[in-house]
Amino acid sequence: MKKLLLLMACICQSYLCFAQNTMQGRVVDAQDGEAVPMAQVILLSREDSARVFSTICDFEGHYSFSYIPQGRYMFSIEARGYETLKDSLLLTQENPGVTRVDKLTLAAQMLEGVTVTTSRTRQDVDKKVVTFSGPELSAAYNSMDLLKTLPGIKANVQTGGVSGMDGGEVLILVNGIKATDNEVESLPKHKIKNVEIYDIPPARYQDVARVINIKTAPLDDGFIVNMNGNTAVSTGFSNDNAYFAWNKGRNKFTAAYQLNVRNYKDREYSHDYTYNLGGEDYRLYEYEKSHFGYTDHNPSLKYSYVDFDKAVVEITAKPNYLHYFNGASGDGTYVAGAEGSRPLDIESRSVENTFSPVIDAYYWQRLSKNDELSLNAVGTLYDVKQTGVDSEAFSDDGTPVYYDDRDLHNDKYSIIGEVAYTHQFASWARWNTGYRTQAAFLHSKADNEFGHFDYHSRFLNHSAYTEFSGGWKGMLYRVSLGLAQTYNKSDGVKVKNLSFTPRVVFGYNFGHGQSVRLQYSSQPIAPDINDLSSNISNVTVNILSVGNPELESALKQTVYLMYNLESKYVELSLVPKFSKTKRAIIDYFEEEEGSFWLKRVNGNYYRYYGAEVEMNIMPLGNKTLELQCWLAPLRQTVCSDQINYSLTSWENYVGLSYNGKAFSASYELSIPAYSISGAYCSKSEPASNLDISYKWKNWRFSASAYWIGKACHYKYKLIPGMAVASTNHTWIYNNQNMVVLGVAWHFMSGKDKQYNRNLNNGDYASPTK
C-alpha cells in the first residue's frame, strides 16, 4: 500500500510540474505592430526536431500552449508573405511559463509578388480581410485591377474603377484615408499587405454601404507619375486622369487632375402624361431629339506631414467645376377635355454651371500605444447657376401651350467637423467613440413664370456614437450605440428630430471558410436640402413641383442575416434581409388651383424584404478565370395616406473575366429590372460590355465595346394609383456599340509613402432646385 501511495505521489508531482509549463504570445508585423492573424506556431524538440505542439493564431495574432514538458525546444512561426521566425525556448521548474511578442518581417519575395501562390480570405465581424496571391499581383497592371477581383466587387468598365455587385458606390481608403481612383491606380501593387472589405461599415463611416481599406507596407521616398486616357472612336466620350506624388522625409505633396467629357448628339426621349383635371381628361405626348453633354473637371492638391509614431497633418484643396448643357427639339400631341388631338412643336434649352471648391483638414495623433485621436474639418461651397427655356406650342397656329423661362442661382455653404477616439483594450475588445456635426446654409434665388423666389434654409446635424467590437474563439461581435439630432429651419419653419441609432452585429466563424452574421441597425435619414426647398418649378403642362420645409427625418430599421462560404473554387454569399423605413419621404400629386402639384410628405413607411445571392466561381482555383453571378429578388412596398403600392424586383448581374500576365478580358451582362425610386418605378440600366487589355512594361493598351447590340435605354413610370399617370423613355444611340480605346502609363522613381487616416467626411449634396 505504501509503495502504491508513493507511486501516486510521484505521478502527481510529475503532473504538477508538467501542468505548470506554458507558452503564450502574440504575432505582429515588425513594421507597424499590427496583428498577423492565422500564423502557424510550431514547437519542436531540440534533441530530435520532432514536432511537439502546433497551433494557429487567432484573428488578433494570439497563440498559447499548455502542459508542456520541461526541457529545451526550438519553435518557428510561419505566415504567408513573411519571413519564417525561428527561436529557442527553455522551460524549467524555476521558469515554467513564457510570454512573448514575436515580430515578423515581410518577405522580399512576397514584395515582388512571386512567393504566395494562393489568395487568402478571412471573415471578421464586419469585414473580410483578403491577402492577394503572387499570380494575382503579377496579372494586375495596377492596384485598381486587384480590387476588381475582391468578393462582392465588380469592375466599372465605363469609369475604370469599381462598384458593388448591386452597382452601389464603394468608398476606397488607403491605410484608412479616403483615396481617389487616381491614387489607387498609382499605389505600388506589390506593397499591398492585405485589403479589408467592410460590408458592415463601422459607425464612423456614416451612410456608406461598402468600404474597401487597402493596407500597405511602409514605402520609400521618391516620386510617382501616372496617366491614362480613354476616348470613344465615334462620339464624344472620354475619361482622362493624371497623377503626381512627391515625397521627401516626412513631407508629401500630391497633385491630380481628372477630366470626364460627354458630348452626345443622338439622344431621343418620349414622355406620356394622362390625368383628369377639373373633371376633364388630358393627355400629353412628347417626343424629342436632343444634343446634351457635360465637362467635369476635378483637380486636387494635397500636402501631408507624416510622423508615423506621433502625428499626421493633411490639407487638401479640390476646386471642382462642372458644366452641363442640353438642347432639344421635337413634336407631340395634346388632348384637353372634349377637344380633339392637336399637334405640338417643342423646343428646350438648358445650361448648368456648378463650382464646388472643397477644403479638407485632417489631424491624427497617437496618444499612447493603445490610444489614438483623430480630428477632421471639411468646408464646401456649392455655387450653382441654371438657365433654361422650355416651350410647347400648337403646330397649326403657334398658340403657346406651355412656356417655362427659368433662372436659378443657389449658394450653399457647409462645414463638417468630427472627432474620434480609439482605445484597444485587448484582442477581444476595441472601443471607438466619436462626435460629428454638420451645418449647411442655402440661399436660393429663382425667377420663372411664377415670380421671383428668395429662399433661405439652414440644416444642422449632430451625431455621437460609441462602439465596442472584437472576437473570441470564433465568436464575433460589434455593438454600436448612438444619438443623432437634426434641426431644419426654412422660411420660418423649424423642424427638430432626435433619434437613437443602435447597430448590433453578432456572428460566428465556423472555419473552413464558413461564417454567419446577424445584423440589426436603426438610423435616421435626413431629407435632402432640395426636398426642403419651397421654390416652385414646372414639370410639364398643368403639373408643378414644390418641396416641403416641414419634412422630418425618416427612420430606417434593418435586419440582415449573412451567410458566407469561401473556398478555392467558390465564393458564396447569401443574405436574407428585411428593412422598414418609418416616416419615409414619399412623393404624391395633389390637385390645387387648376393644376397638379408634385409634393413631398412623410408617409407611413417604405419596406422591402427578400434576399441577395452572390456567387463567384473560379474553375482554375484562382482569379485567373472567374464567373460572377448576382441576383436580388426583393419585394418593395411604399405606403402613405395618398399611395399604397408594392413591386417585386429581380435585379441581376453576370460577369466573366480572364486575367493573365499580359492579356486580360472581361464581359458583363445585366437584364434591366424595375424598382421603386421616389414617386417612380425605375428600370435599371442595361449592361452588355466587353473590355480587352494588354500590358507591356509600364504601359497598358485597352479596347472596350459598350452597350453591344442595343442603345442604352432608361425607362421610368409614375407609381400606379397616382392622380397622374406617366411613362418616360430615354434612348442614347451614341453609345450603342460604342468602341473606346485607352492607354495608360506609369513611372515610379521611388516609392509612395502612405499613412492612416480614420475620419473621412464630405458634402456631396448639390442644391439643384
Side-chain angles (χ1 to χ4, degrees):
M1 185 66 180
K2 291 182 178 180
K3 291 182 178 181
L4 179 60
L5 293 175
L6 180 60
L7 177 61
M8 292 179 63
C10 292
I11 293 175
C12 291
Q13 179 68 21
S14 174
Y15 174 78
L16 289 174
C17 293
F18 181 84
Q20 290 175 356
N21 299 319
T22 62
M23 176 183 175
Q24 59 185 1
R26 186 170 187 244
V27 181
V28 300
D29 188 294
Q31 291 282 356
D32 54 25
E34 293 191 4
V36 178
M38 312 304 288
Q40 184 178 31
V41 184
I42 304 173
L43 195 63
L44 305 171
S45 170
R46 190 164 184 175
E47 295 179 358
D48 56 7
S49 298
R51 179 177 296 197
V52 180
F53 291 102
S54 68
T55 189
I56 300 296
C57 296
D58 64 16
F59 293 152
E60 297 298 328
H62 292 91
Y63 66 89
S64 64
F65 297 110
S66 300
Y67 310 118
I68 308 174
Q70 295 178 6
R72 295 181 180 274
Y73 298 92
M74 294 293 297
F75 74 91
S76 66
I77 302 177
E78 300 176 0
R80 198 187 62 190
Y82 289 89
E83 299 282 0
T84 299
L85 175 67
K86 295 184 178 181
D87 205 348
S88 59
L89 175 69
L90 175 62
L91 292 176
T92 65
Q93 190 170 355
E94 291 77 20
N95 182 34
V98 174
T99 300
R100 305 174 52 94
V101 176
D102 299 295
K103 298 181 179 180
L104 299 189
T105 303
L106 283 170
Q109 294 90 344
M110 183 267 185
L111 299 181
E112 297 302 322
V114 298
T115 294
V116 182
T117 58
T118 58
S119 60
R120 180 182 66 192
T121 301
R122 184 182 87 245
Q123 181 68 62
D124 287 352
V125 62
D126 52 3
K127 66 179 182 293
K128 290 184 178 70
V129 182
V130 177
T131 305
F132 295 114
S133 69
E136 289 170 352
L137 290 166
S138 179
Y141 173 72
N142 56 30
S143 295
M144 184 64 77
D145 285 353
L146 291 171
L147 301 190
K148 297 173 184 178
T149 67
L150 295 173
I153 302 297
K154 69 175 182 178
N156 188 325
V157 295
Q158 297 175 43
T159 65
V162 295
S163 64
M165 293 293 287
D166 59 355
E169 184 178 356
V170 175
L171 173 63
I172 303 178
L173 315 173
V174 176
N175 292 325
I177 182 171
K178 184 177 180 180
T180 64
D181 288 355
N182 260 332
E183 292 171 313
V184 175
E185 291 173 358
S186 304
L187 178 67
K189 60 182 182 179
H190 59 276
K191 288 296 187 179
I192 296 179
K193 291 167 48 179
N194 58 49
V195 174
E196 300 172 330
I197 315 167
Y198 288 88
D199 51 4
I200 307 177
R204 64 176 179 265
Y205 302 119
Q206 296 191 20
D207 304 324
V208 177
R210 195 180 300 265
V211 177
I212 295 177
N213 183 32
I214 306 170
K215 302 181 74 173
T216 70
L219 308 173
D220 301 329
D221 292 341
F223 67 86
I224 295 176
V225 179
N226 185 70
M227 294 183 290
N228 66 74
N230 297 273
T231 303
V233 175
S234 59
T235 189
F237 174 101
S238 68
N239 294 324
D240 307 300
N241 298 277
Y243 176 85
F244 172 80
W246 175 75
N247 306 296
K248 183 66 175 178
R250 294 176 178 171
N251 298 281
K252 175 179 179 178
F253 173 80
T254 61
Y257 178 68
Q258 180 177 345
L259 175 66
N260 303 108
V261 177
R262 303 291 186 271
N263 189 353
Y264 290 156
K265 299 180 180 180
D266 192 6
R267 178 176 70 165
E268 299 180 9
Y269 51 87
S270 67
H271 300 163
D272 193 351
Y273 297 91
T274 58
Y275 49 89
N276 185 283
L277 183 64
E280 298 285 344
D281 291 328
Y282 290 81
R283 186 189 177 196
L284 172 66
Y285 176 77
E286 304 166 323
Y287 177 81
E288 299 177 63
K289 292 186 176 182
S290 77
H291 175 199
F292 85 102
Y294 62 83
T295 304
D296 192 7
H297 303 267
N298 293 282
S300 67
L301 297 173
K302 182 185 296 184
Y303 168 75
S304 307
Y305 175 83
V306 182
D307 185 339
F308 291 98
D309 297 322
K310 295 181 180 179
V312 171
V313 178
E314 178 194 80
I315 299 176
T316 306
K318 297 185 289 185
N320 303 320
Y321 176 74
L322 170 67
H323 171 72
Y324 173 87
F325 68 90
N326 178 57
S329 61
D331 53 39
T333 57
Y334 180 62
V335 178
E339 298 181 9
S341 175
R342 298 184 64 181
L344 295 173
D345 290 330
I346 303 171
E347 295 287 337
S348 178
R349 299 288 183 272
S350 64
V351 174
E352 178 180 325
N353 294 293
T354 302
F355 178 55
S356 53
V358 178
I359 294 292
D360 187 339
Y362 174 79
Y363 177 75
W364 169 87
Q365 183 173 359
R366 184 178 296 280
L367 303 177
S368 68
K369 180 181 179 181
N370 296 320
D371 299 270
E372 299 177 7
L373 179 68
S374 302
L375 303 171
N376 185 213
V378 180
T380 305
L381 164 67
Y382 280 100
D383 183 44
V384 180
K385 296 179 180 178
Q386 294 178 351
T387 58
V389 177
D390 296 330
S391 66
E392 299 184 12
F394 289 126
S395 303
D396 50 8
D397 58 11
T399 303
V401 176
Y402 172 79
Y403 185 78
D404 182 21
D405 186 355
R406 59 195 180 278
D407 191 345
L408 175 70
H409 186 189
N410 284 345
D411 286 319
K412 176 187 172 185
Y413 308 87
S414 77
I415 185 168
I416 302 172
E418 184 173 4
V419 57
Y421 169 76
T422 299
H423 177 77
Q424 184 73 48
F425 286 102
S427 62
W428 51 269
R430 180 180 178 90
W431 178 41
N432 297 306
T433 189
Y435 168 77
R436 182 178 185 270
T437 184
Q438 178 179 5
F441 306 88
L442 172 67
H443 182 201
S444 176
K445 293 185 292 185
D447 289 285
N448 54 36
E449 64 175 291
F450 304 103
H452 175 76
F453 300 90
D454 198 330
Y455 168 78
H456 293 265
S457 177
R458 182 173 67 181
F459 173 83
L460 185 63
N461 174 266
H462 301 280
S463 60
Y465 65 88
T466 189
E467 178 181 79
F468 289 88
S469 62
W472 183 71
K473 292 186 177 181
M475 298 295 297
L476 310 170
Y477 76 92
R478 197 182 83 196
V479 178
S480 175
L481 302 176
L483 285 174
Q485 183 187 52
T486 58
Y487 172 72
N488 301 324
K489 182 180 179 181
S490 304
D491 287 344
V493 178
K494 300 178 182 180
V495 179
K496 290 184 179 181
N497 288 110
L498 180 65
S499 301
F500 179 52
T501 59
R503 176 174 286 189
V504 180
V505 184
F506 290 107
Y508 187 77
N509 198 327
F510 297 97
H512 304 290
Q514 295 189 79
S515 64
V516 64
R517 293 169 293 158
L518 178 65
Q519 174 200 351
Y520 167 78
S521 65
S522 177
Q523 65 181 103
I525 302 176
D528 185 270
I529 200 163
N530 293 313
D531 293 331
L532 299 169
S533 172
S534 60
N535 290 350
I536 300 174
S537 59
N538 270 306
V539 176
T540 188
V541 180
N542 300 325
I543 302 177
L544 311 174
S545 176
V546 65
N548 181 2
E550 298 184 3
L551 287 175
E552 300 181 38
S553 293
L555 182 64
K556 182 179 180 180
Q557 295 177 303
T558 304
V559 178
Y560 289 179
L561 180 64
M562 304 179 180
Y563 170 77
N564 293 95
L565 170 64
E566 308 282 346
S567 72
K568 184 177 180 180
Y569 298 100
V570 176
E571 296 171 341
L572 173 65
S573 176
L574 176 60
V575 186
K577 55 175 57 177
F578 174 84
S579 178
K580 185 174 182 178
T581 302
K582 300 178 181 179
R583 301 191 304 272
I585 298 173
I586 295 173
D587 296 345
Y588 72 100
F589 287 93
E590 184 174 74
E591 185 176 349
E592 184 179 305
E593 298 177 356
S595 299
F596 275 115
W597 292 72
L598 179 61
K599 297 184 177 182
R600 293 159 182 82
V601 67
N602 286 109
N604 297 330
Y605 62 85
Y606 165 76
R607 180 185 66 204
Y608 70 83
Y609 59 87
E612 292 188 14
V613 183
E614 174 191 323
M615 180 178 293
N616 295 352
I617 302 173
M618 298 156 288
L620 303 181
N622 54 48
K623 295 289 185 176
T624 302
L625 182 64
E626 182 177 18
L627 175 65
Q628 293 180 307
C629 306
W630 176 78
L631 179 64
L634 295 176
R635 180 69 172 177
Q636 301 172 275
T637 300
V638 58
C639 178
S640 69
D641 293 340
Q642 296 81 14
I643 191 72
N644 191 330
Y645 178 72
S646 295
L647 171 71
T648 300
S649 62
W650 293 83
E651 297 191 51
N652 57 88
Y653 171 83
V654 176
L656 178 64
S657 63
Y658 170 79
N659 298 288
K661 289 185 177 181
F663 175 79
S664 298
S666 66
Y667 176 76
E668 63 175 7
L669 173 70
S670 67
I671 301 172
Y674 280 110
S675 62
I676 296 176
S677 177
Y680 296 90
C681 297
S682 301
K683 209 171 188 179
S684 58
E685 182 180 272
S688 178
N689 305 318
L690 175 66
D691 181 70
I692 301 173
S693 66
Y694 177 77
K695 300 177 283 292
W696 178 71
K697 295 183 178 180
N698 290 352
W699 295 85
R700 177 167 67 180
F701 305 94
S702 63
S704 305
Y706 303 152
W707 291 285
I708 299 172
K710 190 176 182 179
C712 185
H713 176 212
Y714 302 94
K715 181 180 179 180
Y716 61 95
K717 57 185 179 182
L718 285 168
I719 291 175
M722 286 190 169
V724 176
S726 173
T727 301
N728 302 322
H729 295 266
T730 301
W731 299 268
I732 304 177
Y733 290 102
N734 293 94
N735 55 30
Q736 181 175 349
N737 300 320
M738 181 170 65
V739 176
V740 176
L741 301 180
V743 60
W745 175 80
H746 69 87
F747 177 77
M748 186 183 308
S749 72
K751 303 294 186 291
D752 197 12
K753 185 170 288 185
Q754 304 294 332
Y755 52 92
N756 289 322
R757 169 171 167 168
N758 298 319
L759 304 180
N760 300 279
N761 293 296
D763 181 1
Y764 308 106
S766 174
T768 57
K769 294 183 179 180

